Amino acid sequence: MVSNAEHQREILNQAGLEMLELCKSQLEKAIEAFLNNDSDLAEEVMSSENRVNALDIKIEKDCEKFLALYNPVAIDLRFIMAILKINFALERIGDHAYSISRYVVDRNKKISEPLLKSLEFDLMVETVFSMIENITLAYETKDAKTARKVFKKDKILDKIDFNSFDIIESEIKKEASLVGEALIVSSVIKKMERVGDLIKNVGEEIIFYIDAEVLKHKKKK
């Protein structure tokens, strides 16, 4: 027979998965809106931000209630702590999706495809969503090995972000009229790099929950 604590834990687990899927959807729509200058889709993302915020608050309150009612220890306590931190990271991803959509609505002009190509933006997008797939699978299957895949992929995002300044500077020197959109693209690249860091944080929390391994404080070999 399933205890009430186990039942409530499963409800929290499903809420975490719902938050993950919701924020993934928000980011997918935001990037699509950005690439296609689709202000209607961008407005949809901005309107849906309320759902992200509401679920964020619900998960946080449910975690607090679980801690108060069941006084969890060991793996149950790690689970609650991980859910809280995962939820925080996902809510921040939702914020970045909102901000990217805001650029689309405020500027209402399509970004130059050659500029995006020179910055390897397609690779950045592909890498981010590959990382999201990794953490989704790791979360669902409780597979720490899959969660670890995001660490290597995050380095791709760091490299693209690092190279972006010089590339943008070079493109502006060739065509001064690109200044406005170059600044927006630079900001979106920074946001995507931060999304990568947040996904990596989610991966760390999944591993912490599964293996009781705190990665943030491990020294680099």
Side-chain angles (χ1 to χ4, degrees):
M1 185 175 178
V2 177
S3 70
N4 193 43
E6 289 174 319
H7 177 65
Q8 292 302 319
R9 187 177 130 167
E10 181 55 28
I11 289 174
L12 268 173
N13 185 59
Q14 289 303 313
L17 184 59
E18 181 184 351
M19 185 68 158
L20 212 169
E21 294 289 354
L22 177 57
C23 291
K24 174 188 173 184
S25 175
Q26 286 285 89
L27 190 62
E28 283 176 336
K29 290 175 182 177
I31 294 301
E32 183 181 343
F34 177 70
L35 293 174
N36 299 319
N37 190 40
D38 188 336
S39 58
D40 290 336
L41 186 58
E43 290 277 11
E44 180 186 329
V45 173
M46 293 167 68
S47 297
S48 297
E49 174 71 2
N50 289 333
R51 287 181 59 204
V52 176
N53 292 337
L55 187 55
D56 168 48
I57 292 168
K58 183 180 184 304
I59 290 172
E60 189 173 324
K61 286 184 176 179
D62 286 350
C63 284
E64 290 172 357
K65 188 186 295 183
F66 191 96
L67 286 168
L69 288 175
Y70 304 111
N71 194 25
V73 295
I75 193 167
D76 286 337
L77 181 59
R78 291 203 305 272
F79 169 75
I80 293 298
M81 299 307 294
I83 287 289
L84 280 168
K85 291 180 181 179
I86 288 170
N87 183 54
F88 174 79
L90 293 175
E91 193 274 336
R92 293 292 299 126
I93 290 173
D95 287 345
H96 288 308
Y98 179 94
S99 297
I100 292 169
S101 298
R102 170 63 71 183
Y103 287 136
V104 178
V105 172
D106 289 348
R107 191 168 189 274
N108 197 25
K109 185 179 178 182
K110 192 169 184 179
I111 299 294
S112 162
E113 289 186 16
L115 177 61
L116 292 172
K117 187 175 181 180
S118 69
L119 291 162
E120 296 187 287
F121 191 72
D122 283 351
L123 176 60
M124 188 169 226
V125 171
E126 179 186 329
T127 303
V128 164
F129 286 107
S130 175
M131 291 170 73
I132 291 176
E133 290 300 325
N134 288 150
I135 60 165
T136 302
L137 181 61
Y139 185 96
E140 289 180 310
T141 61
K142 297 180 176 57
D143 183 0
K145 185 177 180 181
T146 300
R148 288 190 176 92
K149 291 181 179 180
V150 300
F151 303 136
K152 186 174 182 180
K153 292 177 182 179
D154 185 56
K155 292 178 182 178
I156 298 171
L157 305 182
D158 292 339
K159 184 178 179 182
I160 292 171
D161 176 47
F162 180 80
N163 292 335
S164 65
F165 181 84
D166 289 340
I167 294 169
I168 287 172
E169 183 182 37
S170 175
E171 293 295 324
I172 290 173
K173 284 179 179 177
K174 287 189 286 185
E175 191 175 343
S177 63
L178 285 175
V179 170
E181 62 184 296
L183 289 173
I184 289 173
V185 173
S186 177
S187 181
V188 172
I189 284 174
K190 291 290 183 190
K191 290 182 185 304
M192 292 293 278
E193 189 274 332
R194 288 173 191 146
V195 166
D197 288 341
L198 290 164
I199 295 169
K200 190 170 69 171
N201 290 348
V202 173
E204 289 173 352
E205 294 308 323
I206 291 171
I207 294 166
F208 165 72
Y209 159 54
I210 297 167
D211 291 350
E213 179 180 10
V214 182
L215 294 184
K216 285 184 180 179
H217 303 294
K218 287 185 73 176
K219 292 182 179 179
K220 292 183 179 179
K221 292 182 180 179

